[in-house]
Amino acid sequence: MSDLLWQKDGVRVDAQIMAFLAGSDVLLDRELLPYDIEASKAHAEGLGRIGLLSAQETADLLRELDVLAADVADGRFVLDDRYEDGHSAIEARLTERLGDTGRKIHTGRSRNDQVLVASRLWLKNRLQQVHAICRDIAAVCLARADSDPALPMPGYTHLQRAMVSSTAMWQAGYAEAFIDNALRARQALDWIDANPLGTAAGYGVSLPLDREHTTQALGFARVQLNPIYAQLSRGKFEIAAIDALGAAMLDLRRLAWDLSLFTTGEFGFVGLPAEYTTGSSLMPNKRNPDVVELLRASYAPVAAARSEIEHLLSLPSGYHRDLQYSKGSLIHAFGHGLAALALVPPLLARMEWRADKMRAAIDDGMYATDRAIELAGQGLPFREAYKQAAEQPLPQHGADPEASLAARVSPGAAAALGLEMLKSRLSDL
Ligand code: ARG
């Protein structure tokens, strides 16, 4: 390992203890490294602006940080356990290339605000991805609700046959859900869009750091002002981001549940694209919806990450090394969540509805509510209409699912889906 930033003369470094301290941290820092480099550039510029670095030193640091960023991007520089963490690697590299100028990069900052700013930028990027994928999912659902024929399908409550529903209403329902999930990602992004760089170890420093500049240079909406609050926000902001991801994953879990049920032999409402199914190693007859099942399971690592970070935060104010463990769960949760969400738009675009199977599962009882309301519309008290419809469920149009859907005019329902309203909400996101 390269020299430790904090090594004191005469104190032995124990390998087992070092391994425990660092753990997989340096490998997790691979995720954060591009953002750490970007923030280091803003920090160097800020030091230049207050005269702590000469114009030449600033230019040299910026150039070497760009070279490092390019080396990281194309794999010429790989962060590994030669370093304690990504922060040490940046300083070691700048020192190797620029000598004393490299040793100046850490003036007025601490690894405590360094990890905060890098993870904040990472979080913003991941929330942008959640936002974009949720929009894509909503767009596919809306497009199909708009252009596919609205096929009748059974609507269930308690998994018991309830009322006639339609594929378009199902699709528009998930479209609205994912519009809201995109909105939630946007709101979480706005909420965490604050720059902690310049709060140092958590108590500020005796330098007039140009925090407005670093805020602007890094594209933050505002400065996160108080150094103690900056430390308090670590973990708290991670939870806010995970909750936004979790909202999408909760809807995905129910969507995947629907699909796994609808593809059973018993239901048979849906055919999945072949690549989304797998065979059995033993049973030659099987096509299994494994992908859909893993989409359903992907909520678990997200919920687990939230729980792990919440447990870590049982801490007094100020930096504590405990917080390092928030990185692994966070990266794991977003890795799982984004990979799952990314598979959804093509799945929804290509799955096929089986009109005949769905129609065959609609029985006469599913018109009873239509009939009760028809009778109530003729002036019968609803309780009386309800009784009569239980005896004789068919409305005037008879057992006709299309007619039932055409009459479903309450706003949002099958005959008044309001797709234009959903489209305009989607385009406003
Ligand atoms: N790997 C550490 C973390 O994630 C970086 C900060 C180390 N700071 C310290 N004071 N030891 O929190």
Side-chain angles (χ1 to χ4, degrees):
M1 187 178 286
S2 66
D3 291 346
L4 295 165
L5 297 175
W6 42 266
Q7 179 67 45
K8 302 269 188 304
D9 293 342
V11 181
R12 193 176 65 91
V13 175
D14 180 277
Q16 196 180 354
I17 294 176
M18 262 317 294
F20 178 69
L21 269 174
S24 56
D25 196 56
V26 70
L27 302 181
L28 294 171
D29 275 357
R30 286 179 182 170
E31 287 266 335
L32 301 184
L33 192 59
Y35 301 100
D36 203 348
I37 295 170
E38 188 188 342
S40 297
K41 286 179 63 182
H43 180 63
E45 283 166 6
L47 291 179
R49 291 168 71 92
I50 60 168
L52 254 275
L53 294 174
S54 70
Q56 187 59 51
E57 287 169 330
T58 309
D60 287 345
L61 285 168
L62 294 180
R63 188 193 62 246
E64 283 306 327
L65 285 164
D66 278 339
V67 173
L68 177 57
D71 285 354
V72 170
D74 57 26
R76 278 194 301 267
F77 180 89
V78 177
L79 185 59
D80 57 28
D81 58 11
R82 286 173 296 159
Y83 304 99
E84 184 187 7
D85 52 31
H87 320 306
S88 320
I90 293 174
E91 189 170 327
R93 163 82 169 225
L94 293 174
T95 303
E96 175 195 310
R97 298 285 171 100
L98 300 170
D100 277 348
T101 302
R103 276 186 206 96
K104 291 186 176 184
I105 187 66
H106 214 55
T107 312
R109 79 172 176 186
S110 155
R111 284 185 295 167
N112 298 354
D113 63 338
Q114 207 177 339
V115 65
L116 263 178
V117 70
S119 44
R120 190 74 44 91
L121 291 167
W122 184 95
L123 276 175
K124 283 181 58 179
N125 172 280
R126 292 312 186 267
L127 284 173
Q128 277 155 4
Q129 293 185 39
V130 173
H131 179 260
I133 299 181
C134 287
R135 293 195 68 213
D136 289 349
I137 295 173
V140 172
C141 288
L142 273 182
R144 285 198 69 168
D146 208 12
S147 53
D148 283 9
L151 304 169
M153 71 188 284
Y156 299 88
T157 69
H158 313 267
L159 272 184
Q160 308 291 320
R161 289 174 179 175
M163 289 179 71
V164 181
S165 181
S166 77
T167 50
M169 188 150 66
W170 186 91
Q171 283 155 337
Y174 281 108
E176 190 170 350
F178 280 92
I179 289 170
D180 273 1
N181 296 332
L183 184 65
R184 179 86 187 267
R186 168 100 277 142
Q187 288 167 342
L189 206 159
D190 291 344
W191 197 65
I192 69 163
D193 199 1
N195 176 22
L197 180 62
T199 57
Y203 299 95
V205 282
S206 44
L207 284 174
L209 294 174
D210 192 343
R211 300 197 61 202
E212 280 303 336
H213 173 75
T214 58
T215 299
Q216 225 185 27
L218 293 172
F220 283 109
R222 63 189 188 280
V223 172
Q224 192 172 29
L225 192 57
N226 184 294
I228 292 179
Y229 178 54
Q231 286 303 319
L232 288 173
S233 69
R234 188 162 180 203
K236 173 182 166 180
F237 280 19
E238 278 79 348
I239 286 179
I242 289 173
D243 282 346
L245 171 66
M249 301 310 291
L250 275 177
D251 283 318
L252 177 56
R253 184 164 72 174
R254 300 189 74 177
L255 186 150
W257 234 129
D258 278 358
L259 295 184
S260 83
L261 197 63
F262 292 167
T263 53
T264 57
E266 283 68 15
F267 279 76
F269 296 171
V270 162
L272 296 175
E275 319 84 85
Y276 283 75
T277 63
T278 60
S280 159
S281 60
L282 174 67
M283 299 169 283
N285 55 321
K286 297 299 297 289
R287 283 315 287 178
N288 297 322
D290 291 33
V291 178
V292 162
E293 288 167 344
L294 287 176
L295 294 179
R296 184 169 61 195
S298 297
Y299 180 69
V302 175
R306 190 205 197 282
S307 169
E308 185 172 356
I309 296 174
E310 201 181 330
H311 285 296
L312 286 176
L313 289 183
S314 179
L315 293 170
S317 64
Y319 175 82
H320 305 272
R321 191 66 176 262
D322 309 51
L323 295 165
Q324 177 169 290
Y325 279 0
S326 62
K327 283 193 294 197
S329 27
L330 181 72
I331 290 168
H332 189 60
F334 272 89
H336 259 289
L338 286 168
L341 289 169
L343 294 183
V344 180
L347 168 64
L348 289 176
R350 293 176 41 227
M351 61 178 244
E352 285 167 10
W353 297 105
R354 306 269 189 255
D356 49 339
K357 290 277 196 172
M358 293 190 290
R359 187 175 291 267
I362 296 172
D363 64 25
D364 285 359
M366 300 181 89
Y367 299 96
T369 307
D370 293 344
R371 175 62 182 158
I373 289 170
E374 188 175 84
L375 290 170
Q378 291 161 11
L380 221 57
F382 184 74
R383 247 343 111 208
E384 182 53 33
Y386 176 95
K387 264 192 216 147
Q388 290 189 21
E391 300 295 316
Q392 207 298 81
L394 291 184
Q396 274 162 8
H397 60 63
D400 179 346
E402 275 84 5
S404 172
L405 292 173
R408 200 77 54 76
V409 292
S410 61
L417 286 176
L419 297 182
E420 293 310 316
M421 184 191 290
L422 295 180
K423 277 187 217 162
S424 100
R425 281 193 208 164
L426 178 61
S427 63
D428 286 350
L429 276 172

